[in-house]
Each structure stands twice: as C-alpha cells, then as structure tokens.
C-alpha cells in the first residue's frame, strides 16, 4: 500500500511553485548604496549617399501583340547596350517588369449616348532598375538613357553602400555620451563613478534624406563623419541634388552609481 506517502508527495508538489517564485532581489538599502541610472541614447550621423538606384522604362504601341513585343524587345536591347557602355555592371542591372496589354479608347456617342470602347492596339512596356555609384555624373547618365530610348525614369533613390562603419561610429559616440550623462547624474548625487551594467540596442535606421544647403557636408556635431569619408562635392550635377542621408542607433543602457 502506498497511501501513507501520498500526503508527502502532495506537499512537495504544492511547495515547488512557491520555491520557484523565490528570486534574489536587491534590498532597498543596497539600492540606496549603489542606485542605478537608466538612459536611452540616440546618435545619428549624416553623410552624402554614395550610390543611387534608377528605374528606366520603355514603351511601344503597335497594332498587334506580336509586333508590340518584337519592337519592345529591340528597343530594350538598345537601352541595355547603352547601360553597359555607361559602365553599369551586370549585377547592378535588373529587369523589374515586362507588360503587354491591349489598349482601348472610349468613344462617346452623339446626342447623349452611352458610348463604347474602341480597340487601338497593344502596349508593351519594359522596366529596368540600375544602380550606380557615380553620383556626380547622374544627370549625364539620365540624359544618355533618355536619348537611348528610355520613355520613363523613376528615381533616383539614394543610399549608402556600406552603412556598417557609420553605424559603428554612431555606437561609439552614443556610448561616450551615455557615460558622460550617467556620470553627471552620479556626481549630482554625491557619487564619483559609474559602472555599465547592460546595453540594449534598439532599431537602427538608415536612408533618411536630409535637405541641406551649401557644399560642405558635416555630421550633426560638426566633426567629420567616419569612413567611408564624406566627399566634398562641387556645385551639383544639374537637376540632381543628393543631399544627406542619416544613419544612426538607439541604445538603452543601465549604469550603477558608485562612490
């Protein structure tokens, strides 16, 4: 018979959750002796973009779908040849979409009639996205592409090819500023130093366009941005104004005040 042991087992099962809830916690006296400082620090660097993406498209109208497709193919091949001659690499050239659809025109009936659709032919379109790092000659590239047969141009969309060095510098600056601010809090309360206990990085960001004036491009605090270096450009490239992009980090930090 095992009944005499059931109460003991039940007691152990009931006691287990209570024991699991016990966790070491700092006492009020310990917290007063070494209080904590929690900070949220954001740091942002601004630098000129070093690459740009453009989407160019061709459009052809023809009476038949076969003719529209053939003419669109020939026109797109000429455009691709021009893109290659302009120095755009194959890996930076990508087809975005090919479309073939019928085209209709709405004809209104006289004397208030309902009107009707009249078939006009077919429209073939082809769009290609390219990426270039020669931003200073972007306007010239756009002129070359439109001359070669591009009927539409979308962009440019500016970006930074390698944001990691900028993000690393933003982290470094954020940590320096956080240490300074935490120490300021500590000294105001009669403590002499702080010790970093934890760091949590929030959402990093990149690619926000900033409108600027002038040619000298500097970071937020006036110091030159880290590598890749911010090139000092001339008076611009026609209608293209790259501006500045922001790259930054947000940190949550906990410091302990010490005497």
């Amino acid at each position: 018979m095992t009944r005499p042991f059931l109460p003991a087992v039940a007691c152990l099962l009931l006691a287990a959750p209570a024991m699991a809830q016990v966790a070491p916690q700092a006492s009020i006296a310990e917290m007063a002796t070494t209080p904590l400082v929690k900070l949220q620090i954001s740091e942002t660097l601004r630098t000129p973009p070093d690459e740009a993406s453009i989407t160019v498209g061709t459009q052809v109208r023809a009476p038949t779908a076969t003719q529209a497709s053939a003419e669109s193919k020939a026109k797109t091949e000429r455009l691709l040849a021009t893109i290659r001659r302009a120095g755009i690499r194959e890996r930076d050239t990508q087809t975005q979409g090919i479309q073939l659809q019928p085209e209709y025109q709405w004809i209104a009936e006289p004397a208030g009639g309902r009107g009707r659709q009249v078939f006009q032919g077919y429209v073939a379109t082809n769009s290609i996205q390219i990426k270039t790092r020669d931003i200073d000659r972007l306007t010239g590239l756009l002129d070359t592409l439109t001359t070669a047969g591009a009927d539409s141009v979308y962009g440019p969309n500016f970006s930074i090819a390698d944001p990691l060095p900028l993000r690393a510098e933003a982290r470094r600056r954020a940590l320096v500023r956080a240490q300074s601010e935490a120490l300021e809090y500590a000294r105001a309360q009669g403590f002499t130093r702080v010790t970093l206990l934890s760091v949590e990085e929030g959402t990093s960001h990149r690619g926000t366009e900033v409108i600027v004036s002038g040619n000298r491009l500097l970071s937020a605090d006036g110091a030159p941005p880290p590598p890749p270096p911010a090139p000092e450009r001339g008076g611009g490239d026609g209608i293209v104004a790259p501006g500045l992009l922001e790259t930054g980090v947000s940190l949550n930090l906990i410091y302990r005040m010490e005497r």
Side-chain angles (χ1 to χ4, degrees):
M1 296 290 291
T2 58
R3 288 182 180 177
F5 298 97
L6 289 177
V9 174
C11 289
L12 289 174
L13 292 175
L14 291 174
M19 294 174 62
Q21 292 176 3
V22 176
Q25 295 182 354
S27 66
I28 296 178
E30 290 173 337
M31 292 179 63
T33 304
T34 57
L36 302 180
V37 180
K38 297 182 179 180
L39 298 174
Q40 185 178 47
I41 302 294
S42 296
E43 190 70 31
T44 299
L45 300 177
R46 296 175 179 176
T47 187
D50 57 10
E51 66 180 14
S53 297
I54 306 169
T55 300
V56 292
T58 61
Q59 187 178 82
V60 171
R61 286 180 167 84
T64 66
T66 301
Q67 184 180 349
S69 297
E71 292 182 7
S72 177
K73 180 177 181 293
K75 191 173 184 179
T76 301
E77 287 175 346
R78 290 195 300 271
L79 182 60
L80 286 170
T82 301
I83 290 173
R84 288 190 289 267
R85 286 194 298 270
I88 306 299
R89 299 172 296 185
E90 291 289 341
R91 66 180 184 180
D92 292 331
T93 305
Q94 185 180 56
T95 297
Q96 294 293 291
I98 299 174
Q99 208 171 32
L100 176 66
Q101 59 187 13
E103 185 178 33
Y104 297 88
Q105 183 180 4
W106 180 260
I107 304 296
E109 294 291 348
R114 297 182 59 183
R116 58 192 176 89
Q117 284 187 334
V118 177
F119 175 73
Q120 299 292 310
Y122 287 87
V123 180
T125 58
N126 195 327
S127 59
I128 303 166
Q129 185 183 70
I130 61 175
K131 184 182 294 183
T132 178
R133 303 196 69 176
D134 198 356
I135 295 181
D136 289 335
R137 298 182 180 178
L138 201 51
T139 298
L141 176 61
L142 294 175
D143 291 341
T144 299
L145 296 177
T146 53
T147 302
D151 299 297
S152 60
V153 177
Y154 301 95
N157 296 315
F158 296 106
S159 59
I160 298 170
D162 183 12
L164 295 182
L166 291 170
R167 201 167 292 155
E169 176 65 13
R171 288 191 190 98
R172 186 192 69 80
R173 296 189 185 190
L175 288 171
V176 170
R177 188 155 64 90
Q179 178 81 13
S180 176
E181 293 186 14
L183 189 57
E184 182 180 347
Y185 279 109
R187 288 174 176 171
Q189 298 300 318
F191 295 86
T192 58
R193 64 181 184 272
V194 293
T195 298
L196 178 61
L197 300 180
S198 71
V199 180
E200 178 182 331
E201 183 169 324
T203 303
S204 301
H205 62 276
R206 58 174 291 193
T208 302
E209 188 170 355
V210 182
I211 305 301
V212 296
S213 59
N215 295 326
R216 188 172 299 277
L217 307 178
L218 300 177
S219 60
D221 60 1
E232 190 166 326
R233 297 193 171 101
D237 180 31
I239 61 174
V240 177
L244 294 176
L245 299 182
E246 291 184 350
T247 301
V249 298
S250 178
L251 304 181
N252 296 311
L253 310 100
I254 300 178
Y255 290 87
R256 182 175 61 207
M257 299 183 187
E258 298 176 350
R259 298 191 185 277

